[in-house]
């Protein structure tokens, strides 16, 4: 029986696989996310969800300041990571980047550069609405930053 209303409640999190979990946590904490928890997930039950069989993965869940969005960072211990598309260009197919709204894009860039962030292209202004840029964060991860331009 179908319903006229969607069954979706919310988007729970976005997952990113990394090699250096501590470095990624430090980077996203500098951006403003708060570490909510960290755990080792292993066993046959977890592999049934991912289709990877028996697995061991260390995860860290980070939450945005408003409490509505989460980022799950994962470091696979077993099985080995078999693919790497972290340095794919912005027009590559598939999941690509996560975008964060920040108070001050210039200050954010200054702080994140101390954690190895590199600007992709330049900071641009979209009409009278946003200042936007892409950066490469830890391990080359593509991250978008947006600053809303206040209407005075």
């Amino acid at each position: 029986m179908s319903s006229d209303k969607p069954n979706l409640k919310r988007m729970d999190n976005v997952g990113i696989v990394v090699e250096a979990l501590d470095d990624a946590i430090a980077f996203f904490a500098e951006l403003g996310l708060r570490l909510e928890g960290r755990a080792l997930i292993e066993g046959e039950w977890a592999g049934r969800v991912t289709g990877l069989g028996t697995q061991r993965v260390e995860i860290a869940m980070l939450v945005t300041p408003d409490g509505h969005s989460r980022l799950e960072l994962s470091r696979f211990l077993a099985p080995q990571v078999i693919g790497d598309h972290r340095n794919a260009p912005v027009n590559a197919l598939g999941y690509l980047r996560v975008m964060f709204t920040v108070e001050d894009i210039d200050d954010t860039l200054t702080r994140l550069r101390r954690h190895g962030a590199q600007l992709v292209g330049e900071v641009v202004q979209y009409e009278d609405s946003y200042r936007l840029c892409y950066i490469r964060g830890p391990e080359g991860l593509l991250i978008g930053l947006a600053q809303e331009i206040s209407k005075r």
Side-chain angles (χ1 to χ4, degrees):
M1 182 171 156
S2 68
S3 170
D4 290 341
K5 294 184 179 181
N7 196 23
L8 181 69
K9 291 174 69 175
R10 68 177 177 270
M11 186 182 84
D12 194 59
N13 68 65
V14 172
I16 300 175
V17 177
V18 298
E19 290 179 309
L21 191 59
D22 290 333
D23 292 345
I25 291 169
F27 179 88
F28 287 106
E30 183 67 41
L31 182 58
L33 280 78
R34 177 180 50 82
L35 180 63
E36 190 172 52
R38 191 169 174 166
L40 180 64
I41 308 296
E42 59 186 331
E44 177 267 338
W45 72 269
R48 289 196 337 252
V49 174
T50 62
L52 294 176
T54 301
Q55 68 181 38
R56 294 185 73 227
V57 60
E58 187 179 8
I59 66 161
M61 190 67 72
L62 295 103
V63 63
T64 56
D66 65 5
H68 293 286
S69 302
R70 286 171 176 70
L71 182 66
E72 179 181 311
L73 300 174
S74 302
R75 182 174 73 94
F76 276 84
L77 306 170
Q80 270 187 310
V81 173
I82 61 167
D84 188 346
H85 50 267
R86 291 173 288 187
N87 293 311
V90 297
N91 61 343
L93 296 175
Y95 292 104
L96 182 63
R97 61 136 174 93
V98 60
M99 175 78 72
F100 295 98
T101 299
V102 297
E103 290 289 330
D104 182 335
I105 204 165
D106 298 315
D107 176 65
T108 302
L109 285 170
T110 298
R111 289 184 296 105
L112 294 180
R113 281 184 174 124
R114 292 192 293 258
H115 290 268
Q118 297 178 344
L119 186 63
V120 175
E122 59 186 273
V123 177
V124 298
Q125 185 166 323
Y126 174 71
E127 298 179 350
D128 291 330
S129 303
Y130 287 95
R131 292 182 69 216
L132 305 160
C133 71
Y134 286 160
I135 61 172
R136 290 280 179 186
E139 302 180 30
L141 298 172
L142 190 61
I143 298 160
L145 299 176
Q147 175 186 335
E148 295 174 303
I149 298 172
S150 59
K151 309 263 192 266
R152 295 178 189 200

